[in-house]
Amino acid sequence: MKRKIIVTLVILCILFLSSCSLPGLGKSVANDGIIIAGGNMTERQIVAEIVFQMIEHYIDDVEISLINNMGSSTLIHQSMVHNNTNVSACMYTGTSLVGELEMKPIREPQKALEMVIKGFDEKFDRVWFPSYGFNNTYAFMVKREFAEENGLKTVSDLQSMASKLKVGVDSAWMKREGDGYNAFKEIYGFDFPDIYPMEIGLVYQAVDQDQMDVVLGYTTDGRIESFDLVVLEDDLQLFPPYDASPVTSKKVLKQYPELENVLLRLEGSITNETMQKLNRRSDELLVEPNIVAKQFLEENNFFEDRKIIPLAERGKPYGVN
């Protein structure tokens, strides 16, 4: 039997503040098969549906549940701590490093991945899988025409014209520690005299309508494709990586060992550009996340031809060291 469960914010708040099982899910995950934790933003909902449908396609005779609309990584983490879920569909390295693992940001992607794999193994008895292939982090972006006219490919390329630029950024970024505006000035060695803090959702339209020359957005936002924007390379690695991966309890992998191969089929399957397209289909074209996921998997034949290397056969930080 396969089922999907939509949980309200009120219930999720109760989950976060207590250690009891989530109403409607039974006593624990031990007797309830595979229970997937999703999120409330479009990207996490789409990826959760991809994971749900992949498991449904490959594993028979097991109950699969999907709890979507969890409002934050903290709530998703707590749902696994309290054994209400056993698969987190989409976790981000940068978020979990400073969140659940309480570490400082790490700017080198491979190092960040190694640290969350090791940290979740030792601290939470969980398996952090290889990345889907997309990295949802901050990025400076410009209109394609503007990039071509000015030969812009990297953030460093902005330095020679910084004094003439109107720059729109996420208000929260201005005071962020580690990768905010102060860190930008320190790492890149220049600033923007004409900078405008604004809501993150408004930056894309602002640059599209030439109200801004450069804006700070997210690398997997569907509006990058809609407005034909060019993401400038963060050549000095200001922004920590937020590579996305599924995470499972070790217990659920022991119960359903075939689950490992299912999730590994998704390794490297979703690039930033692909995630932009998937997000756009849902956010702007108003296609439901489950339909977006279904069409993506059907187009790729559920990745049936993928060659799988089991985690135990890999080197550090997964298998034999």
Side-chain angles (χ1 to χ4, degrees):
M1 178 182 178
K2 317 295 196 276
R3 59 181 173 145
K4 297 179 185 177
I5 301 173
I6 304 301
V7 182
T8 65
L9 181 60
V10 172
I11 293 176
L12 288 173
C13 289
I14 294 172
L15 165 65
F16 176 65
L17 294 173
S18 69
S19 60
C20 62
S21 295
L22 193 63
L25 289 187
K27 295 181 180 180
S28 72
V29 297
N31 300 315
D32 284 325
I34 299 171
I35 304 179
I36 304 162
N40 66 344
M41 69 179 187
T42 300
E43 182 166 289
R44 271 184 155 159
Q45 291 187 349
I46 292 171
V47 174
E49 287 286 353
I50 288 173
V51 170
F52 178 90
Q53 293 177 36
M54 280 287 288
I55 298 172
E56 186 178 46
H57 179 79
Y58 283 103
I59 303 179
D60 296 321
D61 301 322
V62 58
E63 186 169 3
I64 309 168
S65 303
L66 169 59
I67 308 174
N68 247 328
N69 295 322
M70 291 192 178
S72 68
S73 292
T74 300
L75 283 173
I76 292 172
H77 170 64
Q78 288 297 322
S79 76
M80 295 190 75
V81 168
H82 299 314
N83 292 319
N84 294 117
T85 62
N86 48 29
V87 176
S88 176
C90 189
M91 299 295 279
Y92 301 91
T93 52
T95 301
S96 290
L97 274 172
V98 301
E100 297 91 86
L101 295 176
E102 300 179 323
M103 299 174 65
K104 292 183 179 179
I106 297 175
R107 290 190 168 88
E108 202 282 308
Q110 184 58 34
K111 181 64 175 177
L113 180 61
E114 291 176 0
M115 293 305 294
V116 292
I117 291 170
K118 184 174 185 291
F120 270 66
D121 175 25
E122 296 177 351
K123 190 172 182 178
F124 305 121
D125 207 30
R126 298 180 204 164
V127 177
W128 188 291
F129 277 74
S131 172
Y132 292 114
F134 67 90
N135 173 28
N136 187 2
T137 189
Y138 275 129
F140 286 100
M141 51 195 71
V142 298
K143 291 176 70 173
R144 185 170 303 279
E145 181 182 2
F146 189 80
E148 293 173 351
E149 288 177 353
N150 295 280
L152 300 177
K153 295 182 179 180
T154 69
V155 176
S156 292
D157 291 337
L158 298 173
Q159 183 169 8
S160 63
M161 55 190 309
S163 62
K164 302 176 183 178
L165 296 173
K166 291 183 294 183
V167 181
V169 301
D170 180 13
S171 299
W173 179 73
M174 294 296 293
K175 295 182 179 180
R176 276 175 65 100
E177 296 292 333
D179 64 348
Y181 190 38
N182 287 333
F184 169 83
K185 291 184 287 186
E186 179 180 345
I187 290 173
Y188 277 95
F190 66 95
D191 63 2
F192 298 114
D194 207 5
I195 191 167
Y196 298 86
M198 60 179 65
E199 291 296 322
I200 187 68
L202 300 178
V203 300
Y204 306 96
Q205 188 173 359
V207 70
D208 181 61
Q209 296 180 354
D210 296 320
Q211 297 171 340
M212 297 290 153
D213 300 307
V214 183
V215 293
L216 186 70
Y218 291 122
T219 51
T220 60
D221 197 293
R223 286 165 289 193
I224 294 174
E225 181 186 32
S226 298
F227 297 138
D228 194 25
L229 303 180
V230 172
V231 175
L232 300 179
E233 178 190 351
D234 181 18
D235 52 312
L236 298 186
Q237 293 188 319
L238 164 66
F239 300 116
Y242 288 82
D243 293 300
S245 294
V247 176
T248 73
S249 68
K250 289 184 182 178
K251 184 175 181 179
V252 77
L253 291 181
K254 290 179 180 178
Q255 287 179 298
Y256 310 103
E258 62 269 45
L259 178 60
E260 178 181 318
N261 280 349
V262 174
L263 296 178
L264 286 176
R265 289 181 185 277
L266 294 170
E267 179 180 358
S269 65
I270 309 174
T271 64
N272 279 7
E273 291 73 22
T274 299
M275 198 68 244
Q276 290 169 16
K277 293 178 186 295
L278 298 179
N279 283 333
R280 179 174 181 261
R281 292 207 66 214
S282 188
D283 282 331
E284 298 185 35
L285 303 182
L286 305 181
V287 181
E288 288 294 325
N290 65 310
I291 302 300
V292 173
K294 181 175 184 290
Q295 292 174 344
F296 169 73
L297 290 175
E298 288 177 345
E299 289 169 1
N300 289 281
N301 196 30
F302 288 83
F303 300 98
E304 289 186 357
D305 297 329
R306 279 287 175 91
K307 182 179 179 180
I308 305 301
I309 302 176
L311 296 179
E313 296 179 12
R314 304 186 183 209
K316 289 183 178 181
Y318 283 110
V320 179
N321 294 334

